[in-house]
Amino acid sequence: MKKKERQAILQKIVHEHLVHTQEELQDYLHEYGVRTTQATLSRDLRELKVTKMRDEYGKSRYIKLTTETQGDAEQRLQSALKTVTKSVDVVDFLVIIHTSPSYGNFLAAALDELRDTPPADILGTIAGHDTVVAFCKDGEQAQVVSDYLSTHI
């Protein structure tokens, strides 16, 4: 089976089913006649931008953050903000963003895609387990970034 066909089936599974583990994903793929290794499955998930997130019940499951805006970095950031952001604060030239547990790096990557793009103008980010620090040129720019991020939570 070709890669595009396998990935289309994988997207369909993630969209239609609550899948909590890669083993479950492989079981669903087998039902569609797709045999794959764990390494190939992991690579497909990365390429499709499918990630594991906690649902409203606190249980981790695979989801695709955006489907129709895959090429648009700003839309991906806005989707990520709505999905994983808890709060946004400003300290001088820093914007401190608290996320759901395990999503600091995920949100930082989305912010980094928009580096030097107004209104963000973020110089860089550092991420932890559930916190992102975005560095701005000055306190005024940090407030602009904070306001932008806060409107999309």
Side-chain angles (χ1 to χ4, degrees), residues 9-27:
I9 292 169
L10 185 56
Q11 285 188 85
K12 178 181 168 94
I13 291 167
V14 169
H15 180 71
E16 294 178 356
H17 301 280
L18 296 177
V19 183
H20 305 285
T21 66
Q22 283 195 4
E23 291 79 20
E24 287 179 37
L25 275 174
Q26 284 189 314
D27 289 344

Side-chain angles (χ1 to χ4, degrees), residues 33-71:
V34 178
R35 305 273 185 236
T36 187
T37 66
Q38 187 274 329
T40 298
L41 180 56
S42 291
R43 189 171 37 256
D44 284 346
L45 291 171
R46 263 192 319 277
E47 289 176 8
L48 294 170
K49 301 194 188 295
V50 171
T51 188
K52 218 174 188 184
M53 297 187 71
R54 294 197 187 282
D55 62 18
E56 59 273 15
Y57 306 108
K59 195 163 185 175
S60 292
R61 69 181 185 100
Y62 286 98
I63 65 166
K64 184 164 175 56
L65 286 179
T66 57
T67 53
E68 56 280 338
T69 59
Q70 195 165 4

Side-chain angles (χ1 to χ4, degrees), residues 116-135:
D116 300 323
T117 303
D121 288 327
I122 294 171
L123 299 174
T125 60
I126 295 178
H129 175 66
D130 62 357
T131 305
V132 176
V133 178
F135 294 84

